[in-house]
Amino acid sequence: EILRFDVTREDQVRPAIDSMLAATGRIDALVQFVGIGLRGFFEDLDISEIERVFQVNLFGLMRVTQAVLPHMRKAMAGRIILTSSVGGRMASMGIGGYASSKFAIEGWAESLRQEMAPFQVRVSLLEPGLIHTPHFGIHRNVSRRAANPASPYYSWFRRHESLVDGLLAKSSSTTADVATQVERILES
């Protein structure tokens, strides 16, 4: 069963979790693949664009996790997998708005892991690299000003985007590889 809800809306998150609990009685694992990108050099980014990335990538993860934690804590069991990115460990130009949200996930996950350990709730970070998904296609999310040829960074940004596309084309990692890793984490 698929429950669709917007992770940026508290009024949708809690009812979705409550619905799942009513149907199953418990939550053994929470695996979150939540994220949007933002491409462009920092000066070209609108703060509102960065805020939207944080609302989804960080606060969306936090909101769903916070809705699930009381149930796992009471059960003294559970596994949480938070998906960050290799961009959360190592940033590059043109992804500062995105990478900063993923770096924030890394720090929060480390704290959460320590807080949940006494309750036997395991927290893991998944940090995929470049994988051909809609994130790099229809969901690329290029900043409005970064796409403007009048930007002082435009030619540099276009070269960087081309470099990323070249690396992506050479990447042998697939979504199936990520799913296999999730399965390993859940079974460890």
Side-chain angles (χ1 to χ4, degrees):
E1 182 178 340
I2 297 171
L3 299 175
R4 293 187 184 274
F5 58 93
D6 183 340
V7 298
T8 67
R9 298 197 40 197
E10 183 73 26
D11 65 331
Q12 291 185 18
V13 171
R14 296 278 175 178
I17 300 302
D18 291 345
S19 169
M20 186 181 346
L21 282 165
T24 64
R26 67 187 216 197
I27 297 175
D28 297 314
L30 172 64
V31 180
Q32 295 196 72
F33 284 96
V34 175
I36 59 173
L38 179 60
R39 316 242 354 134
F41 282 55
F42 179 71
E43 189 177 350
D44 281 342
L45 304 180
D46 288 329
I47 293 300
S48 63
E49 291 173 316
I50 298 169
E51 287 173 340
R52 175 72 178 141
V53 169
F54 270 79
Q55 279 300 323
V56 174
N57 294 3
L58 177 63
F59 300 126
L61 284 175
M62 288 178 159
R63 194 172 280 111
V64 174
T65 301
Q66 201 167 52
V68 168
L69 282 180
H71 309 287
M72 289 184 171
R73 179 180 41 76
K74 287 177 189 166
M76 293 290 288
R79 171 67 82 170
I80 297 172
I81 301 175
L82 301 170
T83 303
S84 175
S85 166
V86 71
R89 296 185 62 79
M90 174 179 66
S92 70
M93 65 178 127
I95 63 165
Y98 169 78
S100 60
S101 73
K102 296 301 186 172
F103 268 79
I105 292 167
E106 301 275 330
W108 166 59
E110 288 180 21
S111 295
L112 184 63
R113 181 185 56 77
Q114 294 170 31
E115 293 172 7
M116 292 295 100
F119 302 103
Q120 306 306 308
V121 176
R122 307 282 185 247
V123 178
S124 299
L125 264 170
L126 186 60
E127 300 162 324
L130 290 173
I131 299 172
H132 188 57
T133 66
H135 177 87
F136 289 101
I138 61 172
H139 298 301
R140 195 168 198 129
N141 197 23
V142 173
S143 172
R144 181 181 49 81
R145 290 193 312 234
N148 183 347
S151 164
Y153 304 100
Y154 183 76
S155 63
W156 200 2
F157 175 67
R158 297 305 318 151
R159 283 193 308 267
H160 185 262
E161 289 290 273
S162 180
L163 173 68
V164 168
D165 288 340
L167 291 171
L168 188 59
K170 294 176 186 173
S171 174
S172 61
S173 297
T174 67
T175 55
D177 296 330
V178 175
T180 298
Q181 189 61 35
V182 167
E183 182 179 33
R184 286 183 188 138
I185 294 168
L186 290 172
E187 292 177 346
S188 69

